[in-house]
């Protein structure tokens, strides 16, 4: 089957086309239109601007993705349906204009399923994807499934080299989902059987990277910026960092529960920087040392709590997902700890391109959902900014 997938939960407009046959699942095309440059001046995502960008970009991207796809012969164009879509998109001026013109000029592509992120995320952004997907599903009469963004970040780990893994073999698993909006530890007992065992009480891990990077004068998104700075100066001697006596807190690292708290980290960094004489504050080496300590603090807390959860819940696997899982230090610290002390644990990390937001993961999660539960009713499909995994 062929799956068209749409993801607009945050600041990237992502569309993918995938095909499935037996246990083979191939991502044929993916286009991601990043809004990073637009949001850089705010140091974070500005929802109204993000929504407008999605509205501008989504239809041209879908058009490009479907350009050379086979068409369904004998598809009858319906003026009535078009009018209904026009009413239904009344409040989405920009999207309506582009979508109607596209549908007016297009024929039905040979796709069997439309998968779309319905939450969690930024509500105005989610609606752009959901409304687009609903319109296409209705107009072309193609089944639709709504996908949970967090679940998609987890499930993409079960796609390796174009093959669907035997998910049962990895269960139960402890999943750490770390992104700009979420930090959750989820016990996955089986496919579609989840229990949240811990989450952040304030800022997400990605947010901590973004906010502290801003203090360092680095650009948004902060995680990759911090990682790049550290990598560029990886040859500086550790002893030089010792001179600055940087000791950031490891928030909640010893707490008995599996919750996190990262907002204090930004404050600690801010105070520490303010205390320094101007000359030190402005020095490159100081910034690099501080960046390293920020990364270490976040990584240590995440690794420690995840491994403790895996032991307590007798998990067979640890699974990572979300933008922060692209971090090389997080990956390597996990790998080292697991190989040294818990070598029987499976460790699944997404390919780097699948760590940050993408529509391939939505195609894959959508397919697995469709296989198990069938299609959703397009009329009832709604965006839900606070959608909880497993509900
Ligand atoms: O999953 P994602 O792309 O979007 C959300 O669903 O939020 O995650 C984005 C977050 C940002 O906070 C970004 O700074 C962080 O992931 N991130 C990283 C890295 N790449 C992205 N954090 C640390 N290291 C990275 N290499
Ligand atoms: Zn995400």
């Amino acid at each position: 089957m062929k799956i068209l997938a749409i993801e607009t939960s945050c600041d990237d407009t992502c569309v993918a086309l995938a095909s499935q046959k037996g246990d083979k699942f191939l991502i044929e095309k993916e286009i991601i239109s990043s809004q990073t440059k637009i949001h850089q001046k705010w140091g974070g995502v500005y929802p109204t601007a993000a929504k407008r960008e999605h509205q501008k970009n989504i239809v041209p991207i879908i058009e490009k993705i479907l350009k050379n796809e086979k068409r369904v012969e004998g598809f009858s164009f319906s003026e009535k349906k078009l009018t209904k879509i026009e009413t239904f998109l009344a409040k989405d001026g920009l999207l309506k204009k582009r979508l109607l013109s596209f549908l007016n000029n297009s024929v039905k592509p040979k796709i069997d399923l439309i998968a779309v992120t319905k939450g969690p995320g930024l509500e105005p952004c989610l609606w752009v994807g959901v409304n687009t997907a609903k319109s296409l599903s209705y107009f072309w009469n193609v089944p639709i499934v709504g996908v949970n963004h967090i679940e998609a970040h987890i499930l993409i780990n079960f796609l390796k080299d174009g093959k669907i893994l035997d998910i049962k073999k990895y269960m139960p698993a402890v999943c750490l989902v770390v992104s700009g909006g979420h930090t959750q530890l989820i016990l996955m007992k089986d496919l579609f059987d989840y229990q949240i065992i811990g989450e952040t009480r304030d800022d997400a891990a990605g947010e901590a990277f973004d906010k502290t990077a801003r203090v360092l004068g680095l650009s948004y998104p902060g995680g990759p910026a911090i990682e790049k700075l550290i990598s560029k100066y990886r040859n500086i001697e550790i002893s030089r960092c010792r001179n600055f006596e940087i000791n950031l807190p490891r928030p909640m690292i010893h707490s008995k529960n599996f919750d996190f708290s990262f907002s204090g980290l930004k404050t600690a960094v801010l105070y520490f920087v303010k205390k320094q004489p101007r000359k030190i504050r402005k020095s490159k080496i100081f910034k690099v040392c501080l960046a390293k300590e920020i990364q270490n603090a976040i990584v240590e807390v995440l690794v420690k709590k995840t491994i403790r959860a895996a032991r307590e819940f007798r998990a067979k696997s640890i699974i990572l997902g979300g933008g922060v899982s692209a971090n090389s230090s997080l990956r390597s610290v996990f790998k080292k700890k697991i190989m040294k002390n818990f070598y029987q644990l499976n460790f699944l990390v997404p390919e780097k391109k699948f760590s940050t937001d993408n529509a391939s993961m939505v195609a894959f999660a959508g397919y697995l959902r469709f296989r198990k539960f069938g299609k959703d009713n397009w009329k009832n499909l709604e965006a839900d900014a606070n959608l909880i995994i497993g509900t």
Side-chain angles (χ1 to χ4, degrees):
M1 72 187 302
K2 277 231 167 170
I3 304 134
L4 176 72
I6 297 172
E7 152 66 46
T8 61
S9 68
C10 194
D11 59 342
D12 292 317
T13 316
C14 320
V15 180
L17 190 71
S19 63
Q20 169 276 335
K21 202 172 179 193
D23 68 349
K24 290 204 173 68
F25 195 94
L26 203 71
I27 306 298
E28 296 186 351
K29 293 176 205 165
E30 162 123 47
I31 296 178
I32 298 178
S33 166
S34 165
Q35 303 175 5
T36 303
K37 288 229 153 58
I38 290 159
H39 300 288
Q40 254 165 2
K41 56 177 175 283
W42 291 292
V45 181
Y46 188 58
T48 316
K51 175 188 170 182
R52 201 177 48 239
E53 285 305 301
H54 287 310
Q55 288 193 326
K56 250 169 46 192
N57 295 329
I58 187 102
V59 175
I61 296 178
I62 291 173
E63 226 173 331
K64 219 171 178 180
I65 285 264
L66 294 175
K67 196 166 174 219
N68 296 319
E69 287 307 301
K70 284 192 189 134
R71 309 290 165 184
V72 176
E73 301 293 327
F75 168 68
S76 57
F77 178 91
S78 161
E79 199 65 57
K80 217 170 111 195
K81 279 191 176 180
L82 217 56
T83 313
K84 212 166 162 186
I85 290 173
E86 198 172 352
T87 326
F88 151 80
L89 290 178
K91 285 195 215 132
D92 289 289
L94 188 54
L95 178 65
K96 185 177 83 177
K97 204 170 131 210
R98 302 214 156 176
L99 203 49
L100 289 182
S101 134
F102 168 61
L103 292 175
N104 236 325
N105 294 310
S106 72
V107 276
K108 181 178 170 177
K110 250 191 163 174
I111 52 171
D112 308 287
L113 181 66
I114 296 172
V116 62
T117 303
K118 62 175 180 177
L122 300 170
E123 182 128 355
C125 299
L126 288 164
W127 272 114
V128 178
V130 168
N131 278 340
T132 304
K134 282 170 81 161
S135 305
L136 298 181
S137 162
Y138 169 63
F139 194 72
W140 289 332
N141 199 19
V142 172
I144 189 170
V145 271
V147 169
N148 180 306
H149 181 85
I150 302 283
E151 183 176 65
H153 270 307
I154 294 172
L155 294 181
I156 193 64
N157 281 285
F158 297 107
L159 178 62
K160 290 277 180 262
D161 304 324
K163 272 189 118 180
I164 307 172
L165 300 184
D166 180 2
I167 297 175
K168 281 233 174 310
K169 262 175 49 186
Y170 296 85
M171 299 295 110
V174 163
C175 313
L176 173 70
V177 180
V178 265
S179 69
H182 292 87
T183 296
Q184 286 186 329
L185 268 175
I186 296 159
L187 176 65
M188 182 179 181
K189 297 172 205 162
D190 202 348
L191 185 57
F192 307 120
D193 185 356
Y194 309 98
Q195 182 193 339
I196 299 172
I197 53 175
E199 58 192 325
T200 184
R201 294 182 177 181
D202 38 57
D203 288 355
E207 216 175 340
F209 271 112
D210 296 337
K211 287 181 175 174
T212 51
R214 215 169 171 208
V215 179
L216 288 178
L218 300 172
S219 58
Y220 174 83
I226 284 186
E227 190 168 5
K228 210 167 139 197
L229 180 72
I230 297 171
S231 157
K232 193 169 166 197
Y233 294 92
R234 61 185 166 280
N235 294 330
I236 61 160
E237 292 154 32
I238 294 175
S239 59
R240 293 188 68 187
C241 285
R242 278 201 204 107
N243 296 337
F244 300 118
E245 293 184 6
I246 312 171
N247 290 306
L248 293 177
R250 273 43 177 172
M252 296 186 73
I253 198 163
H254 298 300
S255 69
K256 291 229 158 53
N257 54 41
F258 296 108
D259 284 347
F260 302 92
S261 165
F262 288 110
S263 66
L265 206 57
K266 181 200 150 189
T267 322
V269 170
L270 208 59
Y271 277 123
F272 187 74
V273 171
K274 273 195 179 153
K275 259 185 6 199
Q276 306 306 315
R278 194 183 143 79
K279 202 173 149 206
I280 290 191
R281 235 188 299 150
K282 294 282 166 203
S283 83
K284 194 80 193 174
I285 182 119
F286 172 70
K287 280 190 185 171
V288 176
C289 295
L290 190 50
K292 271 190 181 180
E293 174 67 2
I294 291 167
Q295 182 172 270
N296 286 347
I298 297 172
V299 167
E300 265 177 47
V301 177
L302 293 175
V303 172
K304 180 112 185 173
K305 291 209 137 174
T306 307
I307 291 194
R308 192 156 64 71
R311 292 179 68 191
E312 189 161 319
F313 291 95
R314 298 174 188 280
K316 275 196 205 154
S317 318
I318 285 180
I319 297 175
L320 302 192
V324 180
S325 74
N327 187 275
S328 308
S329 168
L330 182 71
R331 289 168 175 240
S332 75
V333 173
F334 257 120
K335 254 185 220 150
K336 273 188 207 145
K337 279 253 151 60
I338 289 172
M339 267 165 52
K340 193 165 165 223
N341 300 322
F342 309 100
Y343 55 88
Q344 72 283 20
L345 267 177
N346 301 300
F347 180 52
L348 296 182
V349 269
E351 279 178 51
K352 280 210 174 173
K353 64 176 184 212
F354 293 149
S355 278
T356 45
D357 287 350
N358 64 87
S360 301
M361 68 181 191
V362 178
F364 189 59
Y367 161 70
L368 293 176
R369 282 218 145 247
F370 182 70
R371 196 175 70 176
K372 170 98 178 171
F373 303 109
K375 65 173 181 175
D376 286 334
N377 182 339
W378 73 270
K379 282 186 191 151
N380 300 337
L381 192 66
E382 295 201 331
D384 180 354
N386 302 311
L387 187 68
I388 294 169
I389 192 165
T391 58

